């Protein structure tokens, strides 16, 4: 792919300006600008839109499993797919849930907190779920920093999950449905990770990931009503 901007971003205003420049354009336009060649795997890659938007904004990035997409600014970049009736299409993946590393039990030291400290949301507007990827429209970007109340709810969700993990109640972690967070399996039965059950045995389970719930995401877009105009 062809890089459009310098990788170095000195401040968030430059990042936001880059995001605003693509408002109203379609994914097919991004592909043209990046000189991206569509392969047979294109439609099967669920994260392809996010990858394209990130590459447009910041170019190649280093491994960011723990850090934000732009660590020196403390900003994560996320897309949020919405239909023309303001319906959120998917829960939003944030990061993996550690199942055996108990050194990061505290919320404010967690990968989750790091990822959610500040997010630049890029709305992706569709007519319905059958809208082709290439014809999905880019909406107005907006920044989000968790409020005090949101941080409290996130903290409560995290603490509830860590209690289950410490007690080895792994089956209760599956599809945890909290105030803001949701837990889902990430991977398949062939991709297993280790954890400890309630009697201290090391067992193999499907990896888990943390998502922001659609209901919560809808509350965010209600505060940013001009994102589709």
């Amino acid at each position: 792919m062809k890089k459009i901007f310098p990788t170095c971003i000195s401040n968030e205003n430059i990042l936001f300006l880059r995001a605003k420049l693509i408002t109203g354009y379609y994914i097919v336009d991004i592909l043209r600008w990046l000189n991206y060649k569509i392969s047979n795997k294109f439609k099967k890659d669920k994260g392809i839109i996010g990858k394209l938007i990130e590459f447009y904004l910041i170019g190649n990035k280093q491994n960011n499993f723990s850090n934000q997409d732009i660590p020196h600014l403390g900003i994560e970049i996320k897309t949020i797919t919405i239909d023309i009736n303001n319906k959120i299409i998917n829960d939003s993946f944030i990061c993996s849930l550690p199942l055996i590393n108990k050194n990061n039990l505290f919320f404010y030291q967690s990968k989750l907190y790091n990822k959610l400290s500040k997010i630049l949301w890029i709305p992706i507007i569709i007519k319905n779920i059958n809208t082709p990827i290439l014809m999905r429209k880019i909406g107005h970007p907006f920044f989000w920093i968790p409020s005090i109340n949101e941080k409290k709810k996130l903290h409560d969700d995290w603490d509830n999950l860590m209690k289950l993990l410490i007690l080895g109640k792994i089956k209760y972690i599956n599809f945890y449905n909290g105030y803001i967070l949701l837990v889902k399996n990430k991977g398949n039965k062939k991709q297993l990770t280790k954890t400890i059950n309630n009697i201290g045995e090391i067992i193999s389970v499907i990896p888990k990931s943390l998502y922001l719930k659609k209901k919560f995401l809808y509350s965010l877009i209600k505060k940013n009503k001009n994102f589709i105009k």
Side-chain angles (χ1 to χ4, degrees), residues 18-206:
R18 291 181 184 181
K20 285 189 69 175
L21 287 174
I22 56 174
T23 300
Y25 286 96
Y26 294 83
I27 297 302
V28 66
D29 298 313
I30 303 293
L31 293 178
R32 290 172 183 155
W33 299 335
L34 297 178
N35 195 25
Y36 182 89
K37 295 181 180 179
I38 299 176
S39 67
N40 293 331
K41 297 180 180 179
F42 179 80
K43 293 182 179 180
K44 296 180 181 179
D45 187 346
K46 294 181 179 179
I48 188 62
I49 291 180
K51 293 173 185 176
L52 289 169
I53 297 293
E54 286 180 9
F55 189 85
Y56 161 81
L57 290 171
I58 61 177
N60 290 319
K61 63 181 182 182
Q62 297 179 343
N63 184 314
N64 72 322
F65 290 118
S66 297
N67 293 323
Q68 302 98 336
D69 292 316
I70 314 176
H72 67 282
L73 295 180
I75 295 173
E76 182 79 357
I77 300 168
K78 301 293 295 180
T79 58
I80 177 172
T81 304
I82 312 159
D83 71 12
I84 56 177
N85 296 314
N86 290 353
K87 179 182 177 182
I88 305 294
I89 304 303
N90 299 306
D91 304 302
S92 181
F93 168 76
I94 300 300
C95 63
S96 60
L97 173 65
L99 292 177
I100 201 163
N101 183 2
K102 298 183 180 179
N103 295 324
N104 295 320
L105 295 178
F106 299 105
F107 175 63
Y108 290 104
Q109 297 175 3
S110 69
K111 177 166 55 176
L112 174 72
Y113 178 75
N114 202 23
K115 291 281 190 178
L116 295 179
S117 295
K118 189 169 190 175
I119 293 179
L120 173 62
W121 288 104
I122 309 290
I124 305 298
I125 314 302
I126 63 175
K127 290 183 178 179
N128 53 59
I129 59 173
N130 297 316
T131 301
I133 291 177
L134 297 181
M135 298 310 298
R136 299 188 176 196
K137 188 178 180 180
I138 300 164
H140 287 271
F142 62 92
F143 280 114
W144 171 67
I145 298 175
S147 66
I148 293 175
N149 184 50
E150 288 166 346
K151 279 185 181 179
K152 182 182 182 304
K153 290 181 177 179
L154 285 165
H155 199 167
D156 289 343
D157 276 344
W158 178 262
D159 284 349
N160 289 338
L161 285 167
M162 290 305 102
K163 288 174 186 176
L164 293 173
L165 181 61
I166 290 170
L167 295 173
K169 296 183 177 181
I170 306 304
K171 67 178 182 179
Y172 294 103
I173 290 178
N174 292 333
F175 303 102
Y176 172 84
N177 192 342
Y179 299 106
I180 294 177
L181 297 178
L182 193 67
V183 175
K184 296 183 182 181
N185 289 335
K186 188 71 173 178
N188 53 55
K189 293 181 179 179
K190 295 181 180 180
Q191 299 172 320
L192 300 178
T193 188
K194 302 291 184 182
T195 190
I196 300 173
N197 66 14
N198 61 334
I199 58 175
E201 297 175 331
I202 296 178
I203 59 173
S204 296
V205 297
I206 299 173

